[in-house]
Amino acid sequence: MLMKNKHDRKSRLPIEDLIRLNNIFENKHWPIQDQLEESFFDNFCNMLETLESDERNLLIALTENFLWVQDGEYLPYFMRSFNEFVNEFLFGECKNICICPLLPEADFGKPKSSVMLLYMIKANLSSIQKKYSKRYNICYVDSPKDFISKFNGQDFILCLIDDFIGSGETVESAMLFLLESGVNINQIAIISLVGMKDGIDRIKNNGYHIFISTVCNKGISSFGQNVEEIRSIMERIEEKIKVKDEYKFGYRQSEALVKMMRTPNNTFPIYW
């Protein structure tokens, strides 16, 4: 058992809670500690020790549905989304794809997660191009501004990439810049590794083309029963840790149960 071999720790947690948490880490193949030997498992136990019984039960139940996309999983997640885009997008006669980080104008030049994702893709671009070489020519730019200056008006499909889509606000801001710059809406596809269903629906309702590897529902609202009781327990937890109003239940009350390389602010703050 993982708990016996790696977690010889004194804990005030009931043994049944330790077993449930241990099973989650094992079943999801989550690492016990990071490369600096800080223990994820121990940190989670320490957090649970500060909570009441019903609060612990809720957190463990939510964690059973938690998605943690680890560093080495980024490229496989991206390729699933990208492959769906290649197979389903209406290219017409266009054979050129330009990959670009999804960035609102206010974030140009900032080290955002979409920029980090582009670096990973750059490192594997030759292999990606080889996979689709019979159908498409694939290139990249470092920002939407670069696409406007280099390729706007040419026969290109602009592929905007990001690791996570929450409320959809960032997508709308990024699209506003491009559309106002004269890029045709049907010339743009949005690709993300993970996204919240509400945000994705909002994006689709705007008429944008989006392709996602994994779609997530709200953590509490999707329970289907006893939702109000569960919400009241989470409200109590967030009162304890003094969550700011704008981040209660995650930004825009997204209720996300997601961790990427960094935990999105759409995720319940207790997980931050």
Side-chain angles (χ1 to χ4, degrees):
M1 286 287 289
L2 174 153
M3 187 167 61
K4 287 183 180 179
N5 293 338
K6 306 212 176 187
H7 303 298
D8 185 16
R9 69 188 298 277
K10 293 181 179 179
S11 176
R12 297 191 299 274
L13 288 178
I15 186 62
E16 57 268 23
D17 288 348
L18 279 171
I19 292 172
R20 288 177 66 193
L21 186 59
N22 176 79
N23 289 339
I24 291 171
F25 270 73
E26 284 198 330
N27 293 337
K28 292 180 177 289
H29 306 290
W30 286 351
I32 304 308
Q33 60 187 24
D34 63 17
Q35 294 179 349
L36 299 177
E37 299 185 355
E38 181 176 0
S39 174
F40 297 119
F41 186 92
D42 286 354
N43 288 345
F44 202 108
C45 289
N46 292 337
M47 180 267 289
L48 289 176
E49 288 173 358
T50 68
L51 303 178
E52 301 297 327
S53 176
D54 59 346
E55 297 167 350
R56 291 197 305 272
N57 186 62
L58 173 59
L59 257 293
I60 295 173
L62 290 176
T63 304
E64 290 171 347
N65 296 319
F66 199 93
L67 174 66
W68 182 0
V69 181
Q70 297 171 52
D71 300 7
E73 297 178 301
Y74 267 51
L75 190 59
Y77 268 75
F78 170 76
M79 289 308 300
R80 285 197 293 270
S81 302
F82 190 79
N83 198 57
E84 181 183 347
F85 152 69
V86 167
N87 290 327
E88 296 186 11
F89 190 81
L90 297 178
F91 284 87
E93 297 300 318
C94 181
K95 301 298 182 184
N96 302 309
I97 297 171
C98 183
I99 299 175
C100 174
L102 191 151
L103 292 168
E105 186 174 9
D107 288 340
F108 289 176
K110 295 181 180 179
K112 307 299 287 187
S113 59
S114 60
V115 176
M116 176 275 301
L117 178 58
L118 179 65
Y119 286 138
M120 289 187 178
I121 292 168
K122 285 181 184 180
N124 295 276
L125 189 60
S126 60
S127 296
I128 296 172
Q129 175 63 80
K130 184 177 180 180
K131 178 178 174 67
Y132 300 102
S133 60
K134 293 182 179 180
R135 299 168 63 185
Y136 302 107
N137 302 310
I138 304 172
C139 66
Y140 68 86
V141 291
D142 291 320
S143 79
K145 184 178 180 180
D146 291 339
F147 179 81
I148 298 299
S149 64
K150 293 180 180 179
F151 300 121
N152 193 24
Q154 299 183 37
D155 193 20
F156 270 89
I157 299 301
L158 176 61
C159 181
L160 297 175
I161 61 168
D162 206 351
D163 63 341
F164 177 78
I165 289 175
S167 67
E169 288 182 356
T170 300
V171 172
E172 290 180 341
S173 297
M175 289 294 293
L176 181 63
F177 170 80
L178 290 164
L179 296 177
E180 289 182 344
S181 298
V183 184
N184 189 294
I185 189 173
N186 292 317
Q187 188 184 357
I188 306 171
I190 300 155
I191 292 181
S192 183
L193 312 188
V194 179
M196 299 302 297
K197 184 179 184 302
D198 284 1
I200 295 167
D201 289 345
R202 174 176 173 174
I203 292 165
K204 288 182 177 179
N205 289 338
N206 283 328
Y208 304 148
H209 308 285
I210 184 167
F211 303 90
I212 303 282
S213 178
T214 300
V215 178
C216 300
N217 292 311
K218 288 191 170 185
I220 289 178
S221 298
S222 61
F223 258 66
Q225 58 183 355
N226 302 325
V227 171
E228 290 306 314
E229 178 183 349
I230 295 169
R231 286 183 64 88
S232 67
I233 297 173
M234 179 57 75
E235 287 170 354
R236 196 193 319 149
I237 293 172
E238 295 193 338
E239 183 68 25
K240 282 185 177 181
I241 62 175
K242 297 179 170 55
V243 177
K244 294 181 179 179
D245 288 344
E246 64 180 313
Y247 295 120
K248 288 181 177 178
F249 286 65
Y251 181 70
R252 293 290 187 188
Q253 297 199 7
S254 297
E255 299 184 26
L257 292 169
V258 177
K259 175 176 171 56
M260 310 297 289
M261 284 189 179
R262 296 181 63 222
T263 305
N265 62 13
N266 305 86
T267 294
F268 289 102
I270 189 65
Y271 288 101
W272 296 2

